[in-house]
Amino acid sequence: MDPIEHLFRRESGRMVASVTRIFGVHNLALAEDVVQDAFCRALEVWKVRGVPENPSAWLMATAKHRALDVLRRERTGRTFAPELSRLIESEWTIASTVKEAFSPEAIKDDQLRMMFSCCHPRLREEVQVALILHILCGFSVDEIASAFLSGHAMIEKRVTRGKKVLASSKKLFDLASDDFSARLSAVHRALYLLFNEGYHGASPESAVRGELCQEAIRLTRMLLEHPFGATPASYALTALMCLHAARLPARTDAAGDLLSLFDQDRSRWDRGLADEGCCMLELAATGPVLSDYHVEAMIAAIHTRAPNTEDTDWAGIVHLYDVLMTLRPSPVVALNRAIAIAQLEGGESGLKAIGAIADPHRLAAYPFYWAALGELALRQGDRQNARGHFRAALVRARNPMERRFLEQRIEACENGSGAPRVSFPRS
Amino acid sequence: MNEFVFLYRGGERPKSPGESQQVMQKWLAWFKELADQGHVVDRGQPLERDGGKVVGPGKSVTDGPFAEVKDLVGGYTLVKASDVSQAAEFAKGCPILERGGLVEIRPVMRLDM
């Protein structure tokens, strides 16, 4: 990969976090201006002189100088970070204070502080995710909108609302605070959602969504680098993301069509990521707490280790879904469990398990609920019913890839071709 | 071969990291093509947008005659081309044009003694 690909976006998060630390979170907008200004300066120089050997250091140094300029120019008329105000006021300490704030260790902490601040309890989860993407991943509102397949106006509203709440909090989240573990759970959740958003929509037409998975993994790994952040649940979440991301290259065929787990060419799975996932899962296996991320990662690990769907440990998977149902019961988890039961015991048991889902109406809008019913009907040779279910799934499809996938299943019902299979929501 | 100076005037600045990335990649690609074909004599230098002064009649020092940002020269490059029309062809690929800026091409005066 080109070393400077996504350079500005990547650096943006680090730079904004560090400048905000000095300016105070109420001056977030000013910090963003300083960073964008540093980018423009870099651009002016690099476009004719070429990119320097260490562009990250160059950018960070430029942001540091700009920040110092702004502090000197505005320190009489504006309040900056309250905890640093004395040090900024004095010409004796201002330069060393800024220098310290830009040291590699401080920068890492600042990014983490910013990540935790973005997951403010007053913000809805989708706002938290948009804010993380905007501030820490350097995505513009338009880029987020295209990644989320939603409108510019809606994302802009989320980002603006998020920034307002962020700016109204007195300072960035304190990593030594008592709220740390509660906030860490919120951070896990937001990163999990970010990953999911990318995973479900990753397709050739929307390359930006695949980047969401990469960003989620990058930020989760960042948690592991901090002594407080490296909890078993953080390792489990990293494992889960790596194991799923390992399957991304095989999720679509040459034509860009979605392939279910049953039809994927397993030789195209990313073995490096899969191994990292398994290694992370081992590191996660400490401490008294079994999080839902642990269980989901263990399920993903079983799939990754299996040579094909027939030789998959379905009994183990059903057991893990049972555990997941006690930790985080949801109709989607129940549906996945039913599909695993169908693999283990046959279609009839699968249908029975689907029928037993407590609140099926919550699944009505979920295309893979209908697709699972369709696959099980098809497996029993009931083409008529299968087609009806796939049609119901089709009208609920969320993107062109899902739509094409379901159209092909309908076709399979009509002309009798295509081996019966069970489609997985998270294949 | 004759030498020409490209003066880069104006051009809207990018507003997001992603946009900055795109602009930079376009410039690098354009510049590389020019340099690979041996047309760059001197890469030149970027110029600061503010802080410039103009010394006028009566040795008065002012902040410059630049009424608008679009007139500002942001940098220059010295290129080699067979004639001004070839130099103009090169300049047509300059990414500054996509952002409302322009390239002024000036032949360097030849001093054939």
Side-chain angles (χ1 to χ4, degrees):
Chain A
M1 193 170 87
D2 185 349
I4 59 164
E5 200 192 342
H6 302 315
L7 172 78
F8 288 92
R9 263 207 220 140
R10 286 280 154 91
E11 295 306 318
S12 171
R14 282 153 43 92
M15 291 158 71
V16 170
S18 294
V19 178
T20 305
R21 163 102 173 102
I22 310 171
F23 282 7
V25 70
H26 55 291
N27 287 316
L28 177 64
L30 185 63
E32 288 182 311
D33 285 349
V34 162
V35 170
Q36 191 51 39
D37 200 60
F39 288 156
C40 288
R41 289 188 73 81
L43 205 59
E44 296 292 327
V45 180
W46 299 358
K47 65 191 186 187
V48 292
R49 305 302 300 178
V51 180
E53 209 155 280
N54 190 343
S56 307
W58 200 104
L59 282 172
M60 203 48 115
T62 308
K64 184 168 86 179
H65 289 132
R66 296 293 300 158
L68 201 51
D69 283 350
V70 170
L71 288 171
R72 289 208 168 104
R73 199 175 61 225
E74 302 205 14
R75 64 185 156 183
T76 47
R78 202 190 261 267
T79 53
F80 290 101
E83 69 273 24
L84 298 174
S85 63
R86 294 200 94 89
L87 298 167
I88 290 168
E89 272 162 33
S90 159
E91 200 50 40
W92 290 100
T93 46
I94 184 170
S96 60
T97 306
V98 171
K99 192 177 166 206
E100 205 180 293
F102 280 89
S103 69
E105 277 315 301
I107 290 169
K108 260 188 208 164
D109 281 9
D110 289 342
Q111 278 180 282
L112 222 51
R113 274 192 202 103
M114 184 60 94
M115 204 191 312
F116 278 65
S117 302
C118 288
C119 296
H120 198 285
R122 267 176 58 203
L123 295 173
R124 290 199 319 269
E125 279 171 345
E126 63 264 31
V127 177
Q128 297 175 0
V129 173
L131 211 50
I132 287 177
L133 270 177
H134 185 65
I135 297 179
L136 282 150
C137 306
F139 278 54
S140 67
V141 166
D142 280 327
E143 286 163 335
I144 300 174
S146 89
F148 280 25
L149 307 177
S150 45
H152 176 98
M154 196 216 287
I155 298 297
E156 181 153 58
K157 215 171 118 192
R158 282 184 197 170
V159 170
T160 310
R161 153 109 183 111
K163 282 186 182 173
K164 218 169 124 188
V165 168
L166 203 56
S168 69
S169 49
K170 288 269 185 300
K171 53 180 192 170
L172 287 179
F173 187 80
D174 181 359
L175 297 176
S177 112
D178 292 341
D179 296 338
F180 182 85
S181 33
R183 190 65 71 89
L184 181 61
S185 304
V187 170
H188 285 154
R189 183 87 195 134
L191 294 176
Y192 177 83
L193 290 175
L194 176 58
F195 183 86
N196 261 355
E197 190 63 45
Y199 194 84
H200 287 303
S203 72
E205 316 67 294
S206 57
V208 68
R209 306 195 83 199
E211 284 172 34
L212 298 185
C213 294
Q214 291 172 20
E215 288 299 306
I217 292 177
R218 183 175 72 90
L219 295 175
T220 314
R221 283 195 186 124
M222 207 185 286
L223 285 177
L224 301 181
E225 286 174 20
H226 195 279
F228 297 164
T231 63
S234 297
Y235 279 109
L237 183 58
T238 315
L240 169 66
M241 290 179 183
C242 289
L243 289 165
H244 282 304
R247 300 209 301 260
L248 270 177
R251 265 182 97 232
T252 50
D253 62 16
D257 287 343
L258 201 60
L259 291 173
S260 88
L261 185 61
F262 292 75
D263 296 324
Q264 288 175 14
D265 173 2
R266 294 181 180 220
S267 68
R268 285 173 64 209
W269 287 358
D270 183 332
R271 285 292 148 193
L273 263 178
D275 290 345
E276 187 184 347
C278 291
C279 174
M280 289 291 153
L281 190 54
E282 273 171 38
L283 290 168
T286 56
V289 183
L290 184 72
S291 69
D292 41 351
Y293 306 118
H294 281 89
V295 182
E296 279 199 51
M298 284 151 83
I299 295 169
I302 292 180
H303 285 306
T304 312
R305 290 195 191 109
N308 52 53
T309 37
E310 288 76 45
D311 298 316
T312 299
D313 177 11
W314 290 107
I317 290 176
V318 171
H319 168 71
L320 287 168
Y321 275 122
D322 287 339
V323 177
L324 197 53
M325 278 304 283
T326 63
L327 288 174
R328 198 190 67 210
S330 88
V332 173
V333 173
L335 178 64
N336 278 290
R337 181 179 165 275
I339 292 166
I341 287 175
Q343 276 309 120
L344 185 66
E345 297 171 11
E348 197 132 339
S349 306
L351 279 173
K352 213 181 282 170
I354 292 181
I357 292 175
D359 30 10
H361 62 277
R362 282 177 59 200
L363 285 172
Y366 186 50
F368 286 101
Y369 169 67
W370 300 99
L373 287 173
E375 296 293 352
L376 292 178
L378 191 57
R379 174 181 284 217
Q380 292 181 320
D382 184 355
R383 295 184 187 283
Q384 192 72 25
N385 254 326
R387 196 176 53 189
H389 289 314
F390 283 125
R391 285 227 171 108
L394 182 61
V395 297
R396 293 165 175 89
R398 295 160 296 185
N399 59 51
M401 269 204 318
E402 286 181 359
R403 219 160 287 134
R404 276 203 305 277
F405 174 77
L406 293 163
E407 279 161 3
Q408 283 166 7
R409 298 312 292 149
I410 293 170
E411 231 170 87
C413 296
E414 280 162 1
N415 60 24
S417 71
R421 44 194 170 172
V422 179
S423 64
F424 268 75
R426 202 198 266 283
S427 56
Chain B
M1 278 290 179
N2 295 294
E3 293 188 352
F4 298 87
V5 172
F6 283 1
L7 298 171
Y8 309 115
R9 281 192 192 275
E12 200 190 320
R13 306 178 102 193
K15 289 185 190 66
S16 74
E19 210 183 335
S20 308
Q21 187 85 31
Q22 279 173 8
V23 173
M24 184 179 68
Q25 249 135 8
K26 282 182 186 159
W27 271 87
L28 293 180
W30 176 68
F31 220 91
K32 187 176 182 308
E33 202 188 331
L34 216 54
D36 284 353
Q37 293 169 3
H39 289 293
V40 174
V41 179
D42 183 341
R43 302 181 76 96
Q45 293 287 350
L47 303 174
E48 290 283 2
R49 291 201 174 223
D50 43 34
K53 298 282 179 203
V54 167
V55 180
K59 299 193 176 171
S60 65
V61 179
T62 62
D63 276 347
F66 322 114
E68 290 181 67
V69 178
K70 71 179 171 59
D71 297 328
L72 266 180
V73 175
Y76 66 90
T77 304
L78 190 60
V79 301
K80 222 163 36 179
S82 52
D83 52 33
V84 71
S85 57
Q86 192 194 18
E89 279 308 311
F90 296 156
K92 281 180 187 168
C94 182
I96 203 168
L97 305 177
E98 295 168 27
R99 307 190 64 80
L102 49 90
V103 184
E104 178 178 336
I105 305 164
R106 302 290 303 272
V108 175
M109 202 182 280
R110 290 177 77 151
L111 298 169
D112 295 329
M113 307 272 282

